[in-house]
Amino acid sequence: MRLRYWAQEALKFTGIIMAAALFYTFLMMVQDTRETWNEYLEMGALYLGMFGACMCMILGTSIYQVHAPLAISLGSTRKEVLLGIQCYRFVIASILLAVAALLLMLTGETAQSLVWTVLPLGAAAFLAFHGIGAVLGCLSTKLGRGALIAVSIVAMLLCVGGIGAVVLIISLKYFLQGNVVWIVLGIGALVYALSMIYEFKTIKKFSVK
């Protein structure tokens, strides 16, 4: 199974996110026909970011409650599981960013703006949200049922915060330019790197119950 399992699972969840974004965009089209096609496309990109942020938080817990135990029980080593988790997150983030960029290109967004502003900010958001989700997932392996419920509630609250953050980033994309973009990307990468240290220690001691 190795990486194929993780890639297949990532594609499934990516499909769910894209379907949810398409559904909500369609609902907005039905409710308000005064919008232009460009506005609908921007809305679709926004929903991809919003639902992607939510799934980052939720998947952090499901990885350790479902996918990692299954992978280990089927013969994967812990190093392979750790690599598979990174593959899982990379596939989800890269596909969502690529589709969102395509939608924005169809609205007339310039390639320069996408490469130097939108995509780095989107990558920063996914790195940070995946990092937070990873920490929540690791905590879920060390806590009892009651504490696990508490972690799930925290994840739901962070999902709301994640949605707000995505909306804020998109609304400020024309103000966040130059070095500020790379600072934000660096912060996202730092959050993810720190979470990986904790995740690596958790995986080393992870046991299937």
Side-chain angles (χ1 to χ4, degrees):
M1 59 181 269
R2 305 306 184 240
L3 291 180
R4 184 190 301 177
Y5 166 77
W6 295 98
Q8 289 175 340
E9 291 300 310
L11 290 174
K12 289 179 185 177
F13 279 103
T14 304
I16 293 173
I17 295 170
M18 293 177 64
L22 177 62
F23 175 72
Y24 275 88
T25 303
F26 176 74
L27 286 182
M28 294 302 296
M29 291 174 65
V30 172
Q31 292 176 2
D32 191 353
T33 58
R34 295 170 296 178
E35 303 284 352
T36 65
W37 277 105
N38 281 356
E39 289 172 325
Y40 290 135
L41 291 172
E42 289 179 349
M43 199 178 300
L46 173 62
Y47 282 136
L48 282 175
M50 289 167 55
F51 289 118
C54 287
M55 291 302 287
C56 289
M57 305 295 181
I58 296 171
L59 293 179
T61 302
S62 69
I63 283 174
Y64 286 95
Q65 295 299 317
V66 179
H67 302 298
L70 178 60
I72 292 174
S73 67
L74 292 177
S76 292
T77 65
R78 280 154 180 75
K79 287 184 179 179
E80 290 171 340
V81 170
L82 186 62
L83 180 61
I85 292 173
Q86 309 317 308
C87 171
Y88 185 72
R89 293 172 181 149
F90 175 79
V91 170
I92 294 174
S94 59
I95 292 177
L96 292 180
L97 284 174
V99 174
L102 177 61
L103 293 176
L104 291 175
M105 283 184 66
L106 294 175
T107 68
E109 190 84 34
T110 64
Q112 182 179 3
S113 174
L114 286 173
V115 172
W116 297 105
T117 304
V118 177
L119 289 179
L121 291 175
F126 274 108
L127 284 169
F129 296 145
H130 271 309
I132 296 170
V135 171
L136 292 175
C138 293
L139 287 175
S140 71
T141 67
K142 302 177 181 181
L143 304 174
R145 185 179 298 273
L148 180 58
I149 294 174
V151 169
S152 301
I153 293 173
V154 171
M156 291 174 63
L157 293 174
L158 288 175
C159 284
V160 177
I163 291 174
V166 169
V167 174
L168 180 62
I169 288 172
I170 292 177
S171 63
L172 293 178
K173 68 179 180 180
Y174 297 111
F175 299 96
L176 297 175
Q177 301 289 338
N179 292 335
V180 177
V181 172
W182 305 110
I183 291 173
V184 173
L185 179 58
I187 292 172
L190 178 62
V191 171
Y192 190 76
L194 292 175
S195 72
M196 287 304 94
I197 295 173
Y198 182 48
E199 188 168 47
F200 177 73
K201 293 180 179 180
T202 301
I203 286 287
K204 285 179 63 176
K205 300 177 181 179
F206 188 75
S207 60
V208 180
K209 297 178 181 180

